[in-house]
Amino acid sequence: MSGLLSSPIFRTVLLLTASNVFMTFAWYGHLKNLSDRPWVIAALVSWGIALFEYLLQVPGNRIGATALSLPQLKMLQEAIALTVFVPFAVFYMKQPVKLDFLWAGLCIMGALYFMFRGATPGA
């Protein structure tokens, strides 16, 4: 288990997932929480939240780049973004669950398959 926790891919997924939580709130949380405020206030609050996103995303990408190619790292980021966004949309923003979430997830899984097939660890 300690080998998994110290692997660059595991640490990358952990950091990028946490980063995406902040990113999602920075990008969309103001639509719920600050809709009655001027857009400039929402932008400044979002910018403040985004600082924490970058403090996790930059090291996550740097660690990930030691074990993944740039296209693999980007596709992993997209999969994590969708994984974070769907629960945010449904539970926090109270959006209806749609079958389109499943189809989008399947498309991302297909993209991950093509990006990672035949990949050798550390390449």
Side-chain angles (χ1 to χ4, degrees):
M1 182 72 159
S2 67
L4 172 68
L5 297 178
S6 65
S7 82
I9 295 174
F10 178 80
R11 290 185 297 156
T12 297
V13 168
L14 191 65
L15 285 167
L16 292 182
T17 299
S19 163
N20 265 273
V21 170
F22 283 104
M23 179 197 72
T24 301
F25 274 94
W27 282 26
Y28 304 106
H30 64 87
L31 297 173
K32 179 177 180 177
N33 301 321
L34 300 172
S35 61
D36 59 337
R37 301 285 175 90
W39 73 265
V40 71
I41 299 297
L44 291 172
V45 169
S46 293
W47 191 41
I49 295 168
L51 170 64
F52 295 102
E53 185 251 332
Y54 274 85
L55 292 174
L56 298 167
Q57 176 266 338
V58 170
N61 279 333
R62 285 181 172 222
I63 292 167
T66 66
L68 302 169
S69 69
L70 185 63
Q72 288 173 331
L73 192 56
K74 177 59 179 167
M75 198 48 56
L76 179 62
Q77 161 61 32
E78 295 301 328
I80 292 169
L82 187 61
T83 302
V84 169
F85 180 77
V86 169
F88 171 84
V90 172
F91 297 114
Y92 188 76
M93 298 296 285
K94 306 296 186 207
Q95 297 293 301
V97 176
K98 294 186 174 186
L99 200 52
D100 289 343
F101 294 155
L102 172 65
W103 304 135
L106 289 173
C107 288
I108 293 288
M109 293 303 292
L112 284 170
Y113 168 77
F114 287 111
M115 200 56 64
F116 284 88
R117 71 180 168 156
T120 56

